[in-house]
Amino acid sequence: MTTAEEKKVIGEQFQLRMDQGELMNCMRCGFCLPACPTYIESGYQEEHSPRGRLALMKAVTDGEIEPDEDVERSLDMCLGCRACEPVCPAGVNYGHLLEEARDTIQQNKKHSAPVKAARNLAFKQLFPHENRMQTLTGLLGFYQRSGIQSLFHKTRLNKLLPDNLATMEKVLPNVPRKKEMKNRPSFVEAESRAVKRVAFFSGCLMDTMFMETNDATIKLLKLADCEIVIPDSQACCGALHGHSGEKAGAAELAKRNIEAFEETGADYIITNAGGCGAFLVEYDHLLKDDPEWADRAKQFTDKIKDITSILVELDFHRTHTLALSEQIVTYQDSCHLRNVMKTADAPRKLLHAMENIDFREMEKADSCCGSAGIYNIVESEMSMKILDTKMKHTKATQAATIVTANPGCLLQMKLGIEREGLSESVRAVHIVDLLLEAVEV
């Protein structure tokens, strides 16, 4: 529980750190309400809407209320999907305000020993260190290959886990061996004459747990006649830090990445994970007050492009035959890819170009699936409500293949498929893997 002294300090820090002008931009019009999953799934509670959260932030900043547990709970319940931003007539940068508020609270309160240990482990000891990520995911791979996972299921020990975690354990991808994770390319030549020189942001989870998708991304870029640089010194994007009240850690990771990519001479920096790309493309905001890094961050963000955007730009869907077996396909937007990177048309153009498929747009494809980083773990109840609504819209399309463009969304949709008992007839796949499947058929 936050003490009176901590509340006082947090209130003072809100006055110093929160952008008063940005808070004042909110006109309380309510256009954001229908776009907010937590507002809808909470039974239309104002404190779980963007407008309500902005009102709470402003009230704390103005000294009208204390930054108590109710305020923190409201902010924690937010997915950070930023669906409120495209529909806001005033253009309020809600995501920036949310991250600033969370960081202000987390950095000025005393955490319990278990929470402090968990945050230290995740934000300082694990995600910033590629070798430790490889070791951890390598252990997961050993668990899958050694027969331990099979035994875990046969003895029904998995039933001891909460339902959503037990299902999530079941849908995790097959993890490569640590040796494979360490043996990664740093440069790949174009298939023929190079038309673009690109640098690939490989990410932390993407280059370990989802390494096959990264390999598929590199193959597609090669087929699109790009020469590809993959800097060895790149790091985690910092999104988890930035969304969880660890902005200083996020800034340090941003600086590492900017340095890693500055010397590549690339036309673009390519990402294949909506969540990572959205954080990378806002490094200029993260480092705007750092005179040494602000310009360098802007040059970095100007080059960020999602894999689907570069493929469309290079007419990949016109110069290559894309064909699959006959099937119904639907697409679930990655919130951050759509709302922050403004990329929604490119994935659909690529899907529409595939032969033999019946593409069906699902209702509210632009609404969050409930994954939101680790939200589906820390806010399981709300996450599952959102997922259940998403699966209702998905099932209405009768799709056999659900496509998305972010690893968290992919796992969440696989979780939804399992929860609905559809694993024998429906699959979820990253768009990159589906494209490679289509071009190699």
Side-chain angles (χ1 to χ4, degrees):
M1 184 176 291
T2 310
T3 66
E5 182 59 31
E6 287 168 345
K7 290 176 185 176
K8 179 182 177 183
V9 172
I10 292 170
E12 292 170 350
Q13 287 298 308
F14 259 71
Q15 293 174 15
L16 291 172
R17 294 179 55 176
M18 297 301 291
D19 188 327
Q20 296 268 11
E22 196 69 67
L23 286 171
M24 287 292 291
N25 282 341
C26 178
M27 302 182 298
R28 310 292 187 263
C29 66
F31 277 38
C32 59
L33 302 183
C36 179
T38 56
Y39 174 71
I40 295 167
E41 297 296 344
S42 69
Y44 308 105
Q45 294 182 34
E46 183 73 13
E47 67 267 30
H48 294 316
S49 73
R51 181 176 67 181
R53 293 183 180 108
L54 288 168
L56 289 174
M57 293 180 210
K58 188 174 187 307
V60 172
T61 302
D62 293 344
E64 294 177 359
I65 64 171
E66 289 187 326
D68 58 16
E69 285 73 19
D70 290 338
V71 172
E72 186 175 355
R73 182 70 189 129
S74 173
L75 300 181
D76 286 346
M77 186 65 79
C78 182
L79 292 150
C81 69
R82 297 173 68 169
C84 51
E85 293 184 10
V87 299
C88 177
V92 176
N93 289 307
Y94 173 83
H96 297 165
L97 292 168
L98 176 68
E99 289 180 2
E100 197 69 30
R102 283 177 171 173
D103 188 65
T104 302
I105 291 171
Q106 294 303 324
Q107 297 306 313
N108 292 285
K109 64 175 286 187
K110 185 177 180 180
H111 296 100
S112 66
V115 170
K116 185 177 181 180
R119 291 180 70 90
N120 178 69
L121 176 64
F123 299 127
K124 296 181 180 178
Q125 305 304 321
L126 182 58
F127 279 92
H129 304 282
E130 182 185 15
N131 61 328
R132 296 176 189 175
M133 289 293 294
Q134 291 172 345
T135 297
L136 181 63
T137 49
L139 289 173
L140 175 58
F142 175 77
Y143 162 76
Q144 292 172 330
R145 292 186 300 272
S146 64
I148 298 174
Q149 184 179 36
S150 178
L151 182 63
F152 188 61
H153 286 212
K154 286 179 180 177
T155 56
R156 302 179 70 81
L157 288 173
N158 59 319
K159 299 298 182 183
L160 298 176
L161 296 173
D163 288 346
N164 68 312
L165 288 181
T167 309
M168 194 175 297
E169 181 269 342
K170 187 177 178 180
V171 302
L172 289 174
N174 292 325
V175 178
R177 289 175 169 80
K178 186 176 179 181
K179 183 178 179 180
E180 295 175 280
M181 289 185 251
K182 285 187 170 296
N183 187 28
R184 305 297 287 148
S186 57
F187 180 80
V188 177
E189 292 184 350
E191 184 76 1
S192 54
R193 181 182 64 86
V195 297
K196 292 289 181 183
R197 179 179 175 88
V198 301
F200 177 47
F201 182 80
S202 53
C204 48
L205 280 177
M206 287 303 299
D207 216 38
T208 51
M209 189 177 295
F210 296 90
M211 197 177 81
E212 286 187 5
T213 301
N214 269 8
D215 288 342
T217 303
I218 292 169
K219 287 180 182 178
L220 290 174
L221 289 169
K222 178 181 173 72
L223 289 171
D225 288 327
C226 295
E227 62 178 19
I228 309 137
V229 184
I230 306 118
D232 295 330
S233 56
Q234 63 180 293
C236 168
C237 68
L240 184 62
H241 293 71
H243 302 328
S244 304
E246 295 285 342
K247 283 188 68 178
E252 288 306 309
L253 289 168
K255 293 172 185 178
R256 284 172 58 184
N257 282 321
I258 291 167
E259 281 188 326
F261 283 88
E262 277 178 330
E263 303 303 320
T264 63
D267 300 306
Y268 299 120
I269 299 169
I270 305 300
T271 70
N272 62 4
C276 295
F279 201 73
L280 294 170
V281 84
E282 292 196 330
Y283 275 2
D284 56 343
H285 173 77
L286 181 66
L287 298 173
K288 64 182 174 61
D289 296 323
D290 190 323
E292 181 183 349
W293 289 92
D295 288 342
R296 295 166 72 179
K298 185 66 171 63
Q299 292 175 36
F300 176 91
T301 59
D302 285 346
K303 292 185 176 184
I304 298 295
K305 191 179 287 285
D306 182 68
I307 176 64
T308 59
S309 294
I310 183 69
L311 291 178
V312 169
E313 181 179 318
L314 297 177
D315 283 332
F316 184 83
H317 54 310
R318 295 191 177 97
T319 57
H320 293 77
T321 299
L322 302 174
L324 292 169
S325 59
E326 290 189 5
Q327 58 192 284
I328 299 171
V329 175
T330 193
Y331 180 70
Q332 163 60 25
D333 284 282
S334 156
C335 294
H336 286 122
L337 183 62
R338 184 182 185 106
N339 299 328
V340 183
M341 295 188 75
K342 313 301 181 188
T343 302
D345 291 340
R348 289 171 169 83
K349 285 182 179 179
L350 293 168
L351 291 171
H352 279 295
M354 292 184 183
E355 298 176 6
N356 303 324
I357 74 164
D358 177 3
F359 179 77
R360 297 183 185 177
E361 191 75 49
M362 79 167 76
E363 184 181 350
K364 295 187 178 179
D366 58 346
S367 181
C368 187
C369 64
S371 172
I374 59 171
Y375 188 93
N376 56 2
I377 297 173
V378 298
E379 298 290 348
S380 175
E381 183 179 354
M382 177 59 75
S383 175
M384 292 305 102
K385 286 182 180 180
I386 293 168
L387 178 57
D388 288 343
T389 299
K390 178 60 62 178
M391 290 309 298
K392 180 181 73 173
H393 297 317
T394 303
K395 287 191 294 183
T397 68
Q398 299 181 308
T401 301
I402 307 167
V403 183
T404 189
N406 185 62
C409 304
L410 179 61
L411 287 180
Q412 185 80 340
M413 298 311 294
K414 287 186 175 184
L415 186 63
I417 290 169
E418 287 289 332
R419 282 166 59 87
E420 296 290 336
L422 299 172
S423 57
E424 297 299 319
S425 58
V426 181
R427 64 171 177 162
V429 61
H430 193 291
I431 190 169
V432 162
D433 295 307
L434 190 70
L435 284 166
L436 189 63
E437 179 184 332
V439 83
E440 288 187 341
V441 167

